[in-house]
Amino acid sequence: MINIVIFGAPGSGKGTQSERIVEKYGFAHISTGDVLRGEIKKGTELGKLANDYISKGQLIPDSLMTDILASVYDGLRATSKGCIFDGFPRTIPQAESLNKLLAERNEEVSAMIELNVPEKELVTRLVERGKTSGRADDNEETIKQRLNVYHGQTAPLIDWFEQQGKRHAIDGLGSMDRIFDDICAVIDKL
Ligand code: AMP
């Protein structure tokens, strides 16, 4: 099975490009943010807990997030030839848990695809998205906090994946088609 981590700051285009990957390759797509927003919508206990973190732009604790991911992955695995991890891992402990979880299933991360977008453009995109997304965290103050969290907790994963020989960096600024072509060039070599 092909397991792809799509990586980048909030607003880097992970969700948009994941949709295109799903369409072309028929892979399953796990967006941990979407999973959590689904729980919030359903009003579950998990949703209530997640909402406290999401609305502040903070990360949900690693152990909880890893349990959620494992159960979603196991639900999709039987029927998929590939899987895109979108929004996970976001910390080094999550990446280590992902490796362990996959190894226990005789799987591994096939590639980490990193979308690079300048900070100013990220803010512009997220503020623009906030006009229609209805997301509680797409406002300027929370966007700032999410970018701080990204730089502090998530960006160290770039070196971590590089050391594992899995990192493929792509220029995430420009036409969606060109970015998608670059992504496909990575996937087609796996
Ligand atoms: P996203 O839709 O990926 O931008 O995620 C929105 C929010 O959900 C994040 O700001 C976090 O509060 C939470 N979240 C999503 N994925 C994770 C994760 N892997 N670890 C911790 N928190 C997460």
Side-chain angles (χ1 to χ4, degrees), residues 13-175:
K14 301 186 295 292
T16 308
Q17 293 295 340
S18 292
E19 280 172 25
R20 300 186 70 163
I21 300 170
V22 169
E23 200 182 315
K24 176 164 176 178
Y25 296 94
F27 295 168
H29 175 208
I30 304 177
S31 156
T32 44
D34 282 351
V35 171
L36 296 170
R37 282 184 289 276
E39 294 293 322
I40 294 173
K41 219 168 168 187
K42 284 188 271 176
T44 62
E45 284 306 311
L46 171 59
K48 282 178 203 152
L49 182 74
N51 193 40
D52 287 341
Y53 291 95
I54 292 182
S55 58
K56 292 187 200 125
Q58 292 169 357
L59 298 183
I60 276 77
D62 287 334
S63 60
L64 178 59
M65 218 46 243
T66 303
D67 289 349
I68 296 169
L69 183 93
S71 86
V72 178
Y73 184 68
D74 284 335
L76 296 170
R77 203 158 74 90
T79 53
S80 312
K81 54 184 186 236
C83 184
I84 310 162
F85 296 90
D86 165 6
F88 189 102
R90 258 180 157 95
T91 64
I92 288 178
Q94 287 184 14
E96 285 166 348
S97 299
L98 179 62
N99 270 3
K100 183 162 170 271
L101 182 152
L102 292 175
E104 284 165 0
R105 291 157 180 78
N106 286 319
E107 299 280 351
E108 61 173 6
V109 171
S110 317
M112 174 272 222
I113 300 179
E114 174 192 337
L115 300 176
N116 280 317
V117 175
E119 185 96 2
K120 208 167 149 235
E121 171 71 10
L122 294 171
V123 177
T124 308
R125 286 186 190 178
L126 290 167
V127 169
E128 193 55 35
R129 186 174 79 184
K131 292 179 187 162
T132 54
S133 70
R135 279 179 55 161
D137 56 352
D138 280 344
N139 61 76
E140 235 166 300
E141 198 189 318
T142 316
I143 289 167
K144 238 178 162 177
Q145 173 61 17
R146 286 159 67 201
L147 289 171
N148 284 339
V149 167
Y150 171 77
H151 291 300
Q153 295 181 254
T154 307
L157 283 170
I158 296 172
D159 280 347
W160 192 89
F161 278 109
E162 176 75 33
Q163 278 163 22
Q164 306 230 335
K166 303 271 159 110
R167 173 177 173 238
H168 301 263
I170 285 176
D171 179 3
L173 194 63
S175 89

